[in-house]
Amino acid sequence: MQTMLAARLHAIGEPMELEQVPVPEPRSTDVVVAVKACNIVPNLKNVLATYAEWFPYLPLPKLPAVFGLDAAGVVTEVGEQVTGVSVGDRVYVNPGLSCGGCRACRRGEDQNCDDYTFMGYFAFGPGGQRLFDAYPYGGLAEYLTAPQQNLVKLPDTVSFEAGARFGYLGTSYSALRKAGAGPGRTVLIDGISGTLGLGACLNAVALGATRILGTGRNAALLDDVKAIAPDRIDVLPAGTADVRDWAREHNDGDGVDIVIDALGPGAPAESFLHAVSALRRGGVAVDIGGMMERPQLDLFAMMCAQQSVLGSLWFSTGEAQEMAELAGTGALDLSVFEHHVFPLEEINDALDEGLPARHGGFTNFIAAPQS
Ligand SMILES: [Zn+2]
């Protein structure tokens, strides 16, 4: 039996154990992927640190478990029913699993499946463990298995390290698509220099948004974001001006079409309300950051102005493939990322404050199980 190196969590609060486990075999419609890059997403530490008290409605896998949310690599084996995917294909693995049989799944709305589950991370419903059992390998192992319909083919110009960023990138891509981002539209991104926000900025540029406005806490980081497209991007250090007035000043006196709230769970509700106040009539605010505070929305005013608020979770494999194509043409510029790659053996050190300071969303921490 062939074995592989995997980092497995056996007990809450303990380091992951680096151990040899059998290389998985693909079932008939699955593939095996050799993991070249797996993102160490900023939230993984929070998940592991709060394991015992983690949100009960977002079930975590039974231990021992292999974590690792966003993986990219090379297909090494395909099941007998797999078509359109070949050994040697460079792919990003969309970790979002759905049951396949419920009403939402049959409509093609994977993320609305009651059992929607991120392999190597956590689930959104009580049926998650069944999917963890079916796909027990996250990206912190040398190989993983995945359904063929979860694969995003990477253009040759997209590195595995950049591919491993597709989770955070795709989350903002889907949000922008739902909100109708494109030519003639203005997008305001709350938290533009963070991991999610920077992806939203790059995707807004790629989708042709005419003007992109962004707020953030760190003025130096904001300057680096503006440098991506100085003619189209304007930035505001948070708290230095009224967001509504500032947005109009930079948008020909008009409100914005789209707000993307990319601030993290700890952000104050007030910042979301400020961003919403910058919307024009008919505007859409999309939350992707998962703010925990509850904003007091003026729904009467929002009704009168036909404004809406959306929650957007992750993305479809189809949307991620579109994004890959945009990256392949160069419209989506992924060259701004600063990849810090370390071997899988160093995962515990990396999670235990062993990573260098982040340069905001530009930083991309990558474990490379197969370098
Ligand atoms: Zn389903």
Side-chain angles (χ1 to χ4, degrees), residues 7 15 47 54 75 100 112 141 158 160 162 172 194 223 260 282 299 317 328 336 349:
V47 173
W54 180 251
V75 174
N112 292 337
V158 176
F160 293 121
S172 62
D223 289 342
I260 300 291
L299 283 177
T317 301
V336 300
D349 293 339

Side-chain angles (χ1 to χ4, degrees), residues 201 237 331 358:
C201 178
R358 278 185 179 274

Side-chain angles (χ1 to χ4, degrees), residues 32-53:
V32 176
V33 175
V35 181
K36 298 289 188 182
C38 175
N39 206 327
I40 304 305
V41 299
N43 194 41
L44 176 60
K45 251 183 100 162
N46 300 335
V47 173
L48 298 177
T50 60
Y51 210 109
E53 298 92 36

Side-chain angles (χ1 to χ4, degrees), residues 82-369:
V82 169
T83 55
V85 179
S86 307
V87 170
D89 282 354
R90 301 171 75 256
V91 294
Y92 163 73
V93 179
N94 176 4
L97 303 168
S98 54
C99 80
C102 72
R103 191 183 293 261
C105 284
R106 286 182 285 109
R107 279 183 188 149
E109 299 172 1
D110 290 15
Q111 297 107 291
N112 292 337
C113 174
D114 282 342
D115 294 344
Y116 197 62
T117 297
F118 289 142
M119 65 169 107
Y121 211 29
F122 60 83
F124 293 86
Q129 188 59 47
R130 195 178 62 81
L131 291 164
F132 287 132
D133 291 341
Y135 298 96
Y137 304 97
L140 296 178
E142 288 184 291
Y143 295 90
L144 57 76
T145 52
Q148 61 178 337
Q149 69 262 29
N150 281 51
L151 300 180
V152 175
K153 293 196 184 179
L154 295 176
D156 291 341
T157 51
V158 176
S159 68
F160 293 121
E161 291 81 11
R165 185 65 181 247
F166 268 34
Y168 275 62
L169 281 165
T171 294
S172 62
Y173 181 80
S174 181
L176 287 163
R177 291 297 303 264
K178 286 168 183 147
R185 304 286 165 142
T186 298
V187 181
L188 168 64
I189 301 163
D190 219 4
I192 197 169
S193 59
T195 308
L196 267 176
L198 182 61
C201 178
L202 296 172
N203 276 313
V205 169
L207 288 169
T210 300
R211 185 137 293 280
I212 298 146
L213 308 178
T215 65
R217 278 172 301 190
N218 182 322
L221 269 177
L222 290 174
D223 289 342
D224 293 342
V225 174
K226 182 170 170 68
I228 292 169
D231 296 341
R232 292 164 68 191
I233 299 173
D234 279 297
V235 290
L236 175 72
T240 58
D242 180 275
V243 175
R244 183 181 187 278
D245 295 342
W246 174 79
R248 279 169 167 73
E249 275 166 31
H250 290 83
N251 194 38
D252 300 326
D254 214 351
V256 305
D257 299 285
I258 298 164
V259 164
I260 300 291
D261 193 285
L263 296 173
E270 202 184 12
S271 57
F272 180 67
L273 293 172
H274 286 154
V276 166
S277 76
L279 283 175
R280 63 178 300 163
R281 289 178 64 82
V284 183
V286 191
D287 177 64
I288 54 174
M291 175 202 341
M292 299 297 291
E293 271 193 21
R294 298 178 180 188
Q296 287 197 305
L297 291 167
D298 183 347
L299 283 177
F300 181 78
M302 294 187 75
M303 175 199 75
C304 294
Q306 292 213 98
Q307 293 166 338
S308 47
V309 174
L310 296 178
S312 182
L313 175 76
W314 212 241
F315 47 86
S316 68
T317 301
E319 286 172 325
Q321 187 65 61
E322 288 173 11
M323 206 177 62
E325 309 295 340
L326 280 174
T329 65
L332 175 59
D333 181 5
L334 303 179
S335 67
V336 300
F337 291 125
E338 299 155 20
H339 306 298
H340 297 262
V341 183
F342 54 88
L344 182 59
E345 287 86 344
E346 293 175 15
I347 182 66
N348 288 310
D349 293 339
L351 288 170
D352 188 23
E353 303 296 340
L355 298 173
R358 278 185 179 274
H359 180 213
F362 293 96
T363 297
N364 204 30
F365 289 127
I366 297 292

